[in-house]
Amino acid sequence: MSNEPTYVIVGASLAGATAAQTLREQGFTGRIVLIGDETDLPYERPPLSKGYLLGTDERAKIYVHEESWYAEHSVELLLGRRVTSLNRPGRQVELDTGERIGYAKLLLATGSSPRRLQVPGADLEGVHYLRRVEDSDRLRETIRTGGRIVVVGGGWIGLETAAAARESGCDVTVIDPQRQPLRAALGSEMGAFFAGLHRRHGVDLRLSQGVTELWGTGHLRGVRTQDGSEFAADAVVVGIGAVPNIELAEQAGLSCDNGIVVDEMLRSQDSDIYAVGDVANSYRPFYGGHLRSEHWANALHGAPVAARAMLGQRVAYDKLPYFFTDQYDVGMEFTGWLGPAGYDRLVTRGDIAGHAFHAFWLAGDRVVAGMQVNLWDDGIGPVEELIRGRHRVDPVQLADVSVPLAAHVMV
């Protein structure tokens, strides 16, 4: 294999490991080097705020492959190593050890990092961010002991963490500047559904409020908000979004705009460099524009496309955005994109109070996004078909559970 081309993947993550797997499945016999700055095997991140955080998923369950898989498939796994620079003219990456590795093709799967809270006291002990498995380990030990948890941010990470903390017996307060949690992702109506879910489970939601200060001496003791309220806290979990890790790409002169800008083949303006996952702002033919998604499905489905493109295959990444959540007794799947234009109306179908329903976001008479809550027999497939087919729908019939969803797809 020494005389064959070397493909380097920066980011030993779900995306990176899946790309390596696809390269082998597609018959690539050259050298594959998978580099990651974490010391754990490549793993999936959704369990970090769900089952793994709750202690219901064992550590081994989160790994993409068993350790033996990498040797068996001749994938060189360099863990605990950080790529410090990218030399495009020399077609090399340099590691923090000083080692240089040449590449014929390079895939950047560098992910994203939690947005940091910029207020006094944000560096106190007891302030948690949730991105890596060791973050989940520390937070799991914290919530196991009970106590008072303040969650800053009402997005997916914040609400999933709040649910895990409540199920562990903690007193939980969620603080968010929006009028409803998840408003940016789901709009106000479904944000209100999740707000109600958390209130019914005893979470104290403080909305339309921002955090101005964390206070304590050495260790966190409490949180202050814009209206002067104070909340005692044994720990704070910050979930206020993430920023793509574009430093390598920027340093190398690659085009970056809310991530590394890539085409539908996940290829940058350098034809030998690709990007995938959280860090990639990719062109989606279905939408006719660029879109960056930070969800699990983006890494899982984008990686095989990037790998095949690196092999010279004519492919396109055009999956609809998808994400899921598990909170208390609610399991949900969402697909589609509200986009900058948003939506005109929300149509629901089923039993909202009983936590078994569909929701559809419409722009005009077409579905642009939809979700299912606890309707696993129906799944999300019919919703995706409605969106992809750009089918015209009658909102009244769409809300009628006696009319099968398949009937709308056929219109």
Side-chain angles (χ1 to χ4, degrees), residues 347-351 356-358 360 397-401 403-405 408:
V347 174
T348 58
R349 168 192 178 98
D351 185 2
F357 65 96
H358 280 95
F360 304 91
Q397 291 196 10
L398 186 61
D400 187 348
V401 296
V403 180
L405 282 180
H408 300 284

Side-chain angles (χ1 to χ4, degrees), residues 326-339:
D326 296 303
Q327 299 174 36
Y328 310 111
D329 60 344
V330 166
M332 181 275 274
E333 293 179 292
F334 175 101
T335 189
W337 185 44
L338 299 183

